Every structure is written in structure tokens, then in C-alpha cells.
Amino acid sequence: MSMSSTRCAVIGVGYLGKFHAQKYAALPNAELIAVVDTNPQQAASVAADCNCRAITDYADLLGRVEAVSIAVPTTLHFKIAQEFLNHGTHVLLEKPITATVSQAAELNRIAREKGLILQVGHLERFNAALMDLADRRMAPLFIESHRLAPFKPRATDVNVVLDLMIHDIDIILDMVRSPVKSLAASGAQVLSQAIDIANARIEFENGCVANVTSSRVSMKTERKMRIFQQNAYISVDFQNRGLAVHRVGEGEMFPGIPEITSEESFFEESDALRSEIIAFLDAIQNGAPVIVTGEDGQRALETAIRITDLVLRDKQILR
């Protein structure tokens, strides 16, 4: 291992965590020390695949690694992340950042005081189509997003707002960069004991409005966002990594009707999780800006919880 490598571990190597472990194991600037899971067989299987130690108690690693990915159930995020931060370890924490806003605020406080990286795993920020928008001038007036997926029993530890919609909430908050003025929301419980489909209308102080729909009881998978701004319409297809930009041109399509110029791009399949982990290590090793900060995660969580509460109040749905 080179002197520039970071000693890492992954806490929770179920469906998502095992992919984190594989990425660290393959990166030259990371040294994967161990994977942790309360299921000994799962820990051993992933450890064998990634050529590292298998551990069943994360406490054995406190103070012994420089960085961790935490991919455990949301209810455990705060306790585990807090302990690693307090032991001077940089943390990449899967979304949603925590179960409550106060927990998120406490993690951010510790990270600030200790000068540590706290990055939140809003993976869609690393989608190639969305990243291409980073260099474009964005001033949205209206945003519409749809995130639809078939039902998956493994994702029901949180409701659809905290499971799926929070991706779009995070993207929209980062894009609009204005405080939320008002919220309206509705939803329904279909197959699980929590909200399975929801719609929210978010009004911002700068006048932008976002209409956000998420479902985990659909027959198809769709992840699209449409952005309307002065003289332009932008469509992002997260699933197919497509980006279409339509603008008002200088000529006329008909007398008095401006022409519309269009450009459409499709990006090669890329590994968003690998990009996310590379960005995390770059922030640790080189001081690069954190792409999705703990504060970003806290803002997205706060908005998602407000939306959840509106739906629960309206429908008397169980948490």
C-alpha cells in the first residue's frame, strides 16, 4: 500500500454495504481493513471476497481506522456514526443521514468540531447526467420529478419519502438554493405498514415550485426530473443517464414564435457508488470539497420528515 492510502472499513455489509466494500477493496488509495456485520456468515463471505478481516462488533474498530462507510439500518446510523466521529474517524453515512433532525445536527456538530469529513450517501448526485448540469447556469422556476419503483420488501424499514423521494428532495434543495416557504403533501399506504406512494409540492422563498412524486408500488421503474427556467426546459433521465436541454433560440420558428434549439446527451454507464467513494477519499486525502455534506443530508432529512408528517396527519398512516 502507498503512503497516500486511507485505512477503511465498512459497517454493515448487507445488500448495499457489500458493494461499498468491493469499491474500497479495488481502489489503490484505500486499504480495506475489515468489514463488519452482526451476521457472521455475511461478514465472512464479504471479507473473503474483499480479502480483509470479518468482524461482528464495530466497537473493535473504534480508533483503528481512518474512514468508514456505514450502511446499517437507519435507526442505527446515529449511534454508530457518533462513536466513529468521536474516535476521529471520517464517515460516509448512507441516506437518510439519521432518524431525526436533532441527531443529524449533533453529527454535524461533532464533525465540525473535530475537523472530520461527514459525507451522506445521496448516490444520485453522482449520476453522470446530473453531474453534467453542474457547469450550467441553473435558475429553476418549476421542477417536476417522478421516482417510481416496484415493491421491494428489503426497503421497508423507512417509508417511501425517506427511501426514494429524499433523493429528489436533496437534488432539488441543492439546485434551488432557497429556503422552503411552504409544503403540501399527500400519500397512501398500499403494500407495507408505511407510506408507499407520496406526492409533495414544495414552494421556495425565491418563487420556485417543485412537484415531487415517489412510489415503490409501481409496475415500472422511472427516475426523471424536468426543470423549467427562463427560456429553457431541461429533462434529466437518471435511469438511462440521459440529459435533454431545450432553449429559446435566436431565430423564429413562425412569425413571432421563437425557434427552439435542442441538445440531447446520453452518458456511458458509470459506477456512481465508486465515484461517491472516490469523492469521499479525495476530500479526506486532498481537502477536496465534500459533494454531499452532512448539512445537505440534514436539510434533505428535515424536508422529508416534514412531508412525512403532513401525509401521516392527513391519512392517519402508521410510521
Side-chain angles (χ1 to χ4, degrees):
M1 279 293 160
S2 69
M3 292 298 292
S4 61
S5 67
T6 298
R7 291 166 57 86
C8 305
V10 178
I11 317 302
V13 287
Y15 176 78
L16 187 56
K18 70 180 178 183
F19 296 123
H20 278 256
Q22 290 166 1
K23 306 310 173 190
Y24 284 114
L27 289 171
N29 59 336
E31 182 183 0
L32 184 64
I33 301 299
V35 295
V36 182
D37 203 280
T38 54
N39 180 330
Q41 290 77 25
Q42 181 67 12
S45 173
V46 176
D49 182 46
C50 297
N51 193 29
C52 67
R53 289 177 59 200
I55 296 175
T56 56
D57 186 354
Y58 69 86
D60 293 346
L61 289 177
L62 294 173
R64 297 182 178 180
V65 290
E66 297 169 272
V68 292
S69 276
I70 299 175
V72 299
T74 304
T75 52
L76 299 174
H77 281 192
F78 175 70
K79 181 180 187 297
I80 297 175
Q82 181 187 44
E83 291 196 55
F84 276 103
L85 288 170
N86 279 327
H87 280 81
T89 303
H90 303 288
V91 171
L92 171 54
L93 185 56
E94 268 304 329
K95 62 84 191 166
I97 180 172
T98 48
T100 70
V101 176
S102 61
Q103 289 175 345
E106 175 64 8
L107 293 185
N108 279 312
R109 183 193 66 78
I110 298 169
R112 281 194 305 271
E113 288 187 359
K114 292 186 171 289
L116 295 168
I117 302 301
L118 174 58
Q119 182 174 315
V120 183
H122 286 284
L123 192 61
E124 204 73 281
R125 290 268 210 111
F126 295 87
N127 188 292
L130 183 66
M131 293 186 78
D132 190 72
L133 285 180
D135 297 328
R136 300 173 186 261
R137 184 179 177 276
M138 301 298 294
L141 300 171
F142 186 85
I143 300 172
E144 185 172 35
S145 73
H146 291 87
R147 188 169 293 264
L148 315 175
F151 186 75
K152 296 183 179 70
R154 67 175 174 79
T156 56
D157 65 316
V158 293
N159 66 56
V160 73
V161 179
L162 291 162
D163 180 24
L164 298 183
M165 186 183 286
I166 198 167
H167 283 291
D168 297 309
I169 291 169
D170 168 62
I171 292 166
I172 290 166
L173 291 176
D174 182 64
M175 192 178 290
V176 177
R177 296 188 177 273
S178 176
V180 174
K181 180 181 178 182
S182 66
L183 285 169
S186 60
Q189 171 189 337
V190 181
L191 292 177
S192 75
Q193 294 299 307
I195 306 164
D196 291 317
I197 183 168
N199 171 264
R201 178 183 171 89
I202 309 171
E203 295 190 22
F204 294 90
E205 289 186 1
N206 68 358
C208 181
V209 174
N211 187 46
V212 190
T213 300
S214 290
S215 168
R216 60 183 181 193
V217 286
S218 298
M219 296 304 293
K220 66 175 181 177
T221 300
E222 180 179 299
R223 292 149 46 205
K224 289 185 177 180
M225 184 175 290
R226 299 166 177 88
I227 304 147
F228 301 84
Q229 57 188 45
Q230 191 68 42
N231 297 326
Y233 159 56
I234 301 165
S235 175
V236 184
D237 184 340
F238 296 102
Q239 183 179 351
N240 298 306
R241 300 171 307 283
L243 177 66
V245 181
H246 309 277
R247 297 187 184 278
V248 174
E250 296 181 359
E252 288 186 337
M253 185 163 39
F254 302 106
I257 305 295
E259 69 171 345
I260 304 297
T261 64
S262 300
E263 56 177 296
E264 193 167 2
S265 305
F266 286 93
F267 300 88
E268 291 185 10
E269 186 168 358
S270 59
D271 190 334
L273 181 58
R274 182 176 184 273
S275 297
E276 178 182 77
I277 290 172
I278 287 173
F280 177 51
L281 293 170
D282 194 23
I284 293 168
Q285 296 171 355
N286 304 313
V290 181
I291 304 295
V292 188
T293 65
E295 287 81 5
D296 291 337
Q298 182 177 331
R299 280 191 291 270
L301 176 66
E302 182 176 15
T303 304
I305 287 176
R306 288 177 63 189
I307 290 168
T308 297
D309 287 344
L310 285 170
V311 177
L312 295 176
R313 194 180 313 153
D314 181 46
K315 298 291 185 182
Q316 304 280 304
I317 296 173
L318 297 172
R319 277 189 183 276

